[in-house]
Amino acid sequence: MMNPIHIAETRARQSDDPQLYMLAYSAGWNAAADGGDLDAHARKVGLDGEAGFIEGVAAYRAKEATARDFVPGTPAHVQHLAAQR
């Protein structure tokens, strides 16, 4: 199973600017960890609308997700519950 950074590296290689993608991914991850207004943070650091930033936020949120964050009965929910045992 690929972890979030492996997925990000794969997507970065497919992007027009891999270095920018990874920079934006890291900024998105850190912004999500810090909390607050993510859109304002993205604008402040000049990464508003960058795919890497959005992916970084999503990856951090997925890492922090709990069973209550999934739609009951979906494969993601069942997998999450199985991993918790």
Side-chain angles (χ1 to χ4, degrees):
M1 186 171 142
M2 293 178 65
N3 66 31
I5 195 66
H6 289 120
I7 294 168
E9 289 170 346
T10 300
R11 290 186 176 154
R13 284 190 292 275
Q14 297 168 350
S15 75
D16 294 336
D17 187 346
Q19 189 173 9
L20 175 62
Y21 183 94
M22 291 305 294
L23 175 73
Y25 179 91
S26 178
W29 179 284
N30 291 331
D34 292 343
D37 185 348
L38 297 173
D39 291 329
H41 183 77
R43 283 189 299 275
K44 178 180 169 187
V45 296
L47 297 171
D48 190 29
E50 287 293 331
F53 187 89
I54 296 164
E55 292 284 338
V57 169
Y60 182 83
R61 288 179 174 170
K63 177 183 134 331
E64 296 296 313
T66 63
R68 72 177 189 283
D69 297 321
F70 295 103
V71 175
T74 61
H77 182 241
V78 172
Q79 183 180 8
H80 177 78
L81 292 177
Q84 297 300 309
R85 294 181 186 182

